[in-house]
Amino acid sequence: ASCVQHRLVVRDASSLQLLQLYTCLDQIQYIEWSSDSLFILCALYKRGIVQVWSLEQPAWHCRIDEGSAGLVASCWSPDGRHILNTTEFHLRITVWSLCTKSVSYIKYPKACQQGVVFTKDGRYMAVAERRDCKDFISIFVCSNWQLLRHFDTETQDLSGIEWAPNGCVLAAWDTCLEYKVLLYSLDGRLLSSFRAYEWPLGVKSIAWSPSSQFLAIGSFDEKVRILNHVTWKKITELDHPATIASKKTIVYKEVEKSPAVDPERLSFPPTRELASSLFSTKSKYDISQVPVSLQYVKPVADRANPKVGVGMLAFSADNCFLATKNDNIPNAVWIWDIRKLKLSVVLEQLCTIQSFQWDPCQPRLAVCTGTSRVYLWSPAGCVVVQVPGEGDFQIMSLSWHSSGDSLVLLSKDNFCVCYLEGEEV
Amino acid sequence: MGDWKTITVPVLSSDSKNIFSYTSEKKISPTSMNSQVLRLSLPSSKNMHSFFSAFCTEENLEQSISYIDRELTTLGFPSIYAESKGKELNLVSIINCMNELLVLQHKNLRAQEEVEMQHMKLGSDMDHLQNCYAKLKEQLELSKREIVGLQERDRQLQSKNRNLHQLLKNEKDEVQKLQNIISSRATQYNHDMKRKEREYNKLKERLHQLVMNKKDKKIAMEILNCVGRADGKRGAWRTDKTEARNEEEMYKVLLSDYEQRQKQLLLENAELKKVLQQMKKDIISLLPPQKQKPKEKSEDGLVLSDQEEDIGELNKENMWELSCETVREQLTNSIRKQWRMLKNHVEKLDNQVSRGHSEALNEKDVISREDHELETEKLELEIQQCKEMIKTQQQLLQQQLTCDDDTTLLLQDCYLLEERERLQEEWRLFREQKKNFEKERKSFTEAAIRLGLERKAFEEDRGAWLKHQFLTMTADCSNSNATTPSAFLRSSEPDIRLVKSASQQRKPSSVLSAPASAEPCQTSLYIAQNSVVSEKPAADIMPNLWVESDDKEETE
C-alpha cells in the first residue's frame, strides 16, 4: 500500500498490480496495515482524522475524528481491531474499538521516542507515563485493555521502552543525559539496572537479539555494550575506532567504476538511455587491505543531539550478526559476529548510510545510502545493485518483505520493489 | 793536603764533567792547584793537556811523585816507591796503580753514564707526569663544571616537575570543581525542568478540560458496521475474574519462560559436566602410570587415593546425575587437582628435557628419549604398512571393478545365462499353469452351461409348481379348512423344493467344488469363475436363484 497525497493505493506485492484505490479527505500523513492484513488505517494528522479501509469490502468505511483534541500519532493494536490515537501535546491516548465502537482512554502518556510498545505475541502493551514529574510504566492486557501493572521507574526522563522478543522482559532507558538502562520483568519487578558511566552522553539506541539472549546498547561514546539475559551484566564492549587494524576483519569498500563507453555506439543527439548510463556512476565492492582508516567526521561541539555515537543497531534474524552504524563514521556499516563477539565485516560506502535492515529469514543485510543503489551483504559476500531507470532515484529507506524475497526501496517521491530470485539448485 | 773544593758547575758537557771528576779525585795543593783548577774549569780540550803538564813540571817532580804516592796509599793502592823509604820508583806498581786508576775511571764513567741516563729518564718521567697532571687537572675542572651544570639542570627540572605537579593538582581541583558545578547545575536544571513540567502539566490539564468541556460532537467514530473480533470471540466485561485471569496468564507466561530457560541451562550444565568428566578421564590417562607406585611421595599417594576415591564416587554419582553443590564442587576440585598434577608432570618433563640437553650422563632421560624415538619410528613404520595395505586393497578393488574385457564379458555371460535359465524355468512353469487354467476354464464353462440348462429346467418346474400351488391355494382359500394341511403342504412343498434346490445347489457346488481340491489358486479361480459365470446371460438367473433360495431359507 502506498499513499499519494490524499489517495491510498493498494497493490499486489508480487506483481505491483493495482488492486484498490481509496480516497481520503485530506493529505495522508501515515498509513499502517492491521496485523491480519484486512484493514489499513490512514492518519490525517492535520485534520485529526483517522480513516480505516477494508480490503475485503471496499465499500466499508470507518472514520475516527479526534476533533479539537488533535492527532499526533496513530497505530493499530496487535489484534487488528483497535486503533490507538495519541492526541496533540500527548494529552491522552484514545483506544478506539472497531468491534464495539467503544472508547478507552489512557492518561498522561509520555512524549518520548518510543512510548507505546507491544509484545511480539501481541498480548501485552507497555505504555510510558509521566505524572507529577515522575516516570511510570503501565502494562495492559491487549485482549480486554485491563491494567495489569503500574509501577514507577527510577529514571530522570524516560526516553524509550522496548519488549524483549520473548515478551517477558521490558527494557527502559533514560534520556541521553543519563546513562541508565532498567530491566523490568513482565510483572513489574525490577530485574536489574545497568549504568556504564556517569557524565558523558548516554544511550543512543537499543536492540534486543531475536532470541532475547542479548541486549545491545549503543551509546554516544561510540561503543556498543552487550548484556546477557542470565545475569544482565555486560559481557562485552564493541568499540568503533576510525582505524581498523585487526587482520580478521574484511573491509569492503565501495569504489566507483567509470562506465565503459563504446565510442561507436555514441550517437548524436544522444539517446536518453545512453545519457543516463553515461552519467550514472556504477560502483562495485573492493576488498581493502587492513589496516584501513575510515572517514571520520568530527562532530560540532556545541549543538544538541550531536552526530556522535552508535545510532543504528540491528540484530540479524538468526541471532548471529549485529549490524551497527557509528554516526561519527557515517559511511560505514559495522557487522559483528555474535558467536565470536568480534568484528567480522566493515562495509565502507561512498555516501552516508541512510538506513539498513536485515532480511527477516536469512542473514542478509540491505543497506541504502541515498544513491540509486542498494547494497546487499551476506556471509557469502556483498553486491551492489543498481536500480535501473532514468534519473535519480535516491533511496532513503528500505523495507524487507516478511518472506525475505523482496525489498521495497523508498525515495522521497517514488518507491520500487526489488525482487530477489532464489538460486536454482 | 789540599782542600776539596767541590765546584758545582752547571755545565753539561761530558768534558767538563770529566774535568770535574778529575778535580774531585785528585788532591790538589791548596794555592797553586786551586787557582789552576779554577782557571781550568772552563771546558776546553786544549786545556787538558796544559792541565796535565801544569801539575807536574820538571821542578816539582819529586814533590808531585811523593804527593801522588801519598794519595795512592791513602786510597789503598800499594806505594809506587820501590821500597818504603827509597826514592826509586816501582814501575810495576806505578803501572798497576795506573791500571787500577784507569779501571776505576772506566767504572766511574759507566756509573756516571748510568746515573745520567737515569737522570734523563727521571726527568722525562717527571715531564710526562707533569703533563698528565696538568691534563687531569684540566679534566677535573671540566667535569666539575659539568657537574655544576647538571646539578643546575636537575634543579630546574625538579622545579619544573613541582610546577607540573602543582598544575596537575590545580587541574584536578578544577575538574572536581567543574564536576561539582555540573552536578549542581544538573540538579538545578532538574528542578527547573520539574517546575516547567508541572506548569506544562497544568496547562495540559486545562487544555484537556477545555477540550472535554467543549463536548465536541465531532469527537466521534463513524463506522459503517461493526467488525467482528479477530479471534471471533465476543468481548467480555471487566470483572475481578478477568483481572485474576489476566494475572494468572501473565504469571503463566513468565513461568513458562523461566522453565524454558531453566531447561536450557540444565542442558548446558549437563553438557559441560560431561565435558569435564571427559577431560578428567583424559587427564588421568595422560598422567604416567609410574606415579601410581606407592613408593612415591606421600602427597602424591594421598592425592592418588583421593583421586581414585573421587573417580569412584563421581562415576557413581554421575549415573544418578545429581546436581547438588557438593557434587559440583567435588568435580571441579578433582579436575583442578588432576590439572595441577598434569602441570607438574609437564614441568618435570620440561626440566628433564632441558637437563638432558646439558647432561648426557643421565641415562634415564636418554633412554626415555630413545624410547620415544623408537616408538615414533615404529609408529611411522606401522603407518607406512597401513598405507601400503590400503594401496594394495585399493588396487585390488579397482581390479575387481575394472578387470579385463574377457573376464567381464565372461562374467556377464555367466550372469546372463543364469538369468536366462531361471527365466526359462519360470516360463515353463507359467505355460504349464496356463494349460491347467485353460483346462479348468473349459470344464467350468461346460459346468456352467450344464448348470444353466438345469436351472432352466428347474425354473420351468418351479413355475409350473407355483402355478399349481397358486391354483390349489385359491381353491383352498375358498375351502378354509384346507389351509393347514396346505400350509404344511406348502411348507412341505417348499421344503421339498428347498431340498431339491438345495440338492441342486449342492450339485452345481459339488460340480464346481470338485476341481477346487488342492490348489488355492484354483479356489480363487473358482471365485473368478463364479463372477465370470454370473456375467454370462444364460446364468443371469443364478444370482436370483441364490437370492431367492436365501430368501426361502430365511422365510422357512
Side-chain angles (χ1 to χ4, degrees), chain B residues 77 125 140 158 176 187 196 240 275 296 373 412 458 489 515:
Chain B
F77 288 109
D125 279 345
L140 187 68
Q158 274 199 348
Q176 193 61 40
T187 45
K196 294 231 162 72
D240 288 337
V275 168
E296 288 293 327
E373 280 171 11
Q412 281 176 358
F458 176 69
L489 255 179

Side-chain angles (χ1 to χ4, degrees), chain A residues 36 39 57 59-69 79-82 88-92 96-102 104-105 107-109 111 121 123-124 130-134 141-149 156-157 166-169 185-189 191 199 213 229-230 232, chain B residues 179-180 182-184 186 190 193-198 200-201 203-212 214 216 218-231 235-258 260-261 264-265 268:
Chain A
D36 49 7
F39 299 98
Q57 306 170 6
W60 186 91
H61 67 270
C62 167
R63 195 181 72 195
I64 299 172
D65 196 337
E66 287 287 342
S68 43
D79 62 359
R81 295 291 177 270
H82 294 84
E88 226 167 332
F89 303 116
H90 291 266
L91 279 178
R92 60 165 196 258
W96 300 89
S97 165
L98 291 176
C99 323
T100 63
K101 250 175 142 179
S102 63
S104 319
Y105 293 105
K107 280 181 111 178
Y108 311 113
D121 53 8
R123 276 207 209 173
Y124 301 102
R130 193 167 175 99
R131 290 166 210 247
D132 299 330
C133 310
K134 278 196 76 173
V141 181
C142 288
S143 49
N144 49 16
W145 302 108
Q146 273 192 314
L147 179 65
L148 188 65
R149 283 284 187 277
Q156 292 274 347
D157 186 8
N166 66 2
C168 296
V169 182
S185 152
L186 180 57
D187 56 347
R189 287 175 297 130
L191 292 171
W199 291 116
Q213 275 177 311
H229 74 310
V230 179
W232 301 116
Chain B
Q179 277 195 338
N180 290 341
I182 288 174
S183 55
S184 71
N190 283 341
M193 277 280 286
K194 286 210 175 107
R195 206 161 36 91
K196 294 231 162 72
E197 217 188 303
R198 276 191 213 108
Y200 175 59
N201 281 342
L203 281 168
K204 270 205 322 194
E205 286 285 311
R206 195 90 173 83
L207 183 65
H208 197 211
Q209 277 174 11
L210 285 171
V211 162
M212 294 311 283
K214 254 190 169 185
D216 255 328
K218 282 211 240 165
I219 299 182
M221 183 161 102
E222 195 187 297
I223 187 169
L224 190 64
N225 55 318
C226 289
V227 180
R229 275 171 73 100
D231 48 0
W237 292 105
R238 271 193 208 183
T239 55
D240 288 337
K241 262 198 219 169
T242 52
E243 275 185 32
R245 218 184 327 132
N246 287 339
E247 295 269 320
E248 221 186 275
E249 271 188 37
M250 174 188 82
Y251 283 124
K252 264 192 222 168
V253 164
L254 277 175
L255 276 173
S256 63
D257 181 60
Y258 281 135
Q260 210 189 32
R261 259 200 266 164
Q264 277 179 5
L265 288 170
E268 254 192 76

Side-chain angles (χ1 to χ4, degrees), chain B residues 217-360:
Chain B
K217 292 215 177 120
K218 282 211 240 165
I219 299 182
M221 183 161 102
E222 195 187 297
I223 187 169
L224 190 64
N225 55 318
C226 289
V227 180
R229 275 171 73 100
D231 48 0
K233 290 191 209 156
R234 278 202 262 157
W237 292 105
R238 271 193 208 183
T239 55
D240 288 337
K241 262 198 219 169
T242 52
E243 275 185 32
R245 218 184 327 132
N246 287 339
E247 295 269 320
E248 221 186 275
E249 271 188 37
M250 174 188 82
Y251 283 124
K252 264 192 222 168
V253 164
L254 277 175
L255 276 173
S256 63
D257 181 60
Y258 281 135
E259 270 170 24
Q260 210 189 32
R261 259 200 266 164
Q262 204 201 13
K263 266 187 230 166
Q264 277 179 5
L265 288 170
L266 274 173
L267 281 170
E268 254 192 76
N269 266 351
E271 266 190 51
L272 288 171
K273 262 198 234 168
K274 265 191 239 167
V275 168
L276 281 176
Q277 289 273 352
Q278 190 63 42
M279 267 175 64
K280 209 178 71 161
K281 278 184 210 157
D282 286 340
I283 291 174
I284 291 170
S285 64
L286 272 177
L287 289 175
Q290 297 169 15
K291 286 218 164 190
Q292 287 176 7
K293 284 183 196 161
K295 290 179 191 171
E296 288 293 327
K297 301 176 202 164
S298 55
E299 308 171 36
D300 287 343
L302 277 171
V303 165
L304 273 171
S305 58
D306 284 342
Q307 160 200 334
E308 284 168 25
E309 281 175 27
D310 282 341
I311 298 170
E313 279 177 41
L314 282 162
N315 281 338
K316 275 188 241 159
E317 290 179 21
N318 194 23
M319 294 201 287
W320 300 339
E321 278 199 3
L322 291 171
S323 64
C324 50
E325 285 274 334
T326 45
V327 177
R328 233 187 310 139
E329 272 178 33
Q330 272 176 13
L331 180 61
T332 47
N333 284 341
S334 66
I335 285 203
R336 279 200 204 113
K337 268 188 240 162
Q338 303 300 330
W339 188 249
R340 248 182 276 139
M341 279 167 71
L342 185 68
K343 253 197 340 188
N344 291 339
H345 182 63
V346 169
E347 276 168 19
K348 272 191 204 163
L349 282 174
D350 274 341
N351 289 340
Q352 278 179 2
V353 164
S354 59
R355 260 189 288 135
H357 279 303
S358 53
E359 299 175 11

Side-chain angles (χ1 to χ4, degrees), chain A residues 39-205:
Chain A
F39 299 98
I40 308 176
L41 75 77
C42 306
L44 293 66
Y45 293 149
K46 288 183 192 159
R47 287 276 289 262
I49 293 176
V50 174
Q51 280 187 280
V52 187
W53 303 100
S54 157
L55 229 60
E56 288 178 309
Q57 306 170 6
W60 186 91
H61 67 270
C62 167
R63 195 181 72 195
I64 299 172
D65 196 337
E66 287 287 342
S68 43
L71 191 62
V72 164
S74 178
C75 67
W76 282 102
S77 73
D79 62 359
R81 295 291 177 270
H82 294 84
I83 296 179
L84 286 87
N85 283 346
T86 313
T87 59
E88 226 167 332
F89 303 116
H90 291 266
L91 279 178
R92 60 165 196 258
I93 295 180
T94 342
V95 183
W96 300 89
S97 165
L98 291 176
C99 323
T100 63
K101 250 175 142 179
S102 63
V103 183
S104 319
Y105 293 105
I106 299 175
K107 280 181 111 178
Y108 311 113
K110 179 121 196 225
C112 58
Q113 205 180 7
Q114 208 168 297
V116 176
V117 278
F118 297 97
T119 57
K120 200 165 162 195
D121 53 8
R123 276 207 209 173
Y124 301 102
M125 173 178 83
V127 179
E129 298 177 5
R130 193 167 175 99
R131 290 166 210 247
D132 299 330
C133 310
K134 278 196 76 173
D135 291 318
F136 294 90
I137 294 180
S138 302
I139 301 183
F140 292 90
V141 181
C142 288
S143 49
N144 49 16
W145 302 108
Q146 273 192 314
L147 179 65
L148 188 65
R149 283 284 187 277
H150 180 79
F151 50 91
D152 67 335
T153 64
E154 298 162 7
T155 52
Q156 292 274 347
D157 186 8
L158 186 60
S159 164
I161 47 180
E162 176 115 27
W163 283 105
N166 66 2
C168 296
V169 182
L170 182 68
W173 61 96
D174 209 342
T175 173
C176 57
L177 290 172
E178 282 261 335
Y179 193 125
K180 208 181 209 179
V181 176
L182 297 162
L183 291 142
Y184 290 96
S185 152
L186 180 57
D187 56 347
R189 287 175 297 130
L190 175 65
L191 292 171
S192 160
S193 108
F194 176 69
R195 188 174 218 188
Y197 47 77
E198 201 172 337
W199 291 116
L201 291 179
V203 176
K204 198 164 186 188
S205 55

Side-chain angles (χ1 to χ4, degrees), chain B residues 535-555:
Chain B
E535 277 168 16
K536 288 199 176 161
D540 266 352
I541 315 155
M542 194 146 108
N544 298 336
L545 248 184
W546 292 116
V547 166
E548 286 233 317
S549 58
D550 284 341
D551 280 340
K552 283 218 179 107
E553 279 177 19
E554 280 172 33
T555 51

Side-chain angles (χ1 to χ4, degrees), chain B residues 98-161:
Chain B
M98 271 178 68
N99 188 32
E100 290 288 331
L101 284 169
L102 281 171
V103 165
L104 208 62
Q105 173 75 354
H106 282 306
K107 244 195 342 187
N108 288 337
L109 275 174
R110 256 181 271 136
Q112 195 184 353
E113 270 177 30
E114 272 172 37
V115 166
E116 274 173 9
M117 282 286 285
Q118 255 198 359
H119 187 252
M120 261 188 345
K121 264 194 229 165
L122 287 170
S124 66
D125 279 345
M126 268 283 270
D127 288 334
H128 175 66
L129 284 171
Q130 272 181 348
N131 285 342
C132 284
Y133 174 69
K135 268 190 227 159
L136 285 172
K137 249 176 116 169
E138 272 178 43
Q139 271 185 10
L140 187 68
E141 282 296 309
L142 269 171
S143 42
K144 273 196 188 150
R145 259 180 259 142
E146 256 187 59
I147 284 173
V148 166
L150 285 171
Q151 275 181 342
E152 262 299 315
R153 243 180 66 185
D154 183 42
R155 244 179 282 137
Q156 280 176 359
L157 285 172
Q158 274 199 348
S159 68
K160 232 187 183 179
N161 193 17

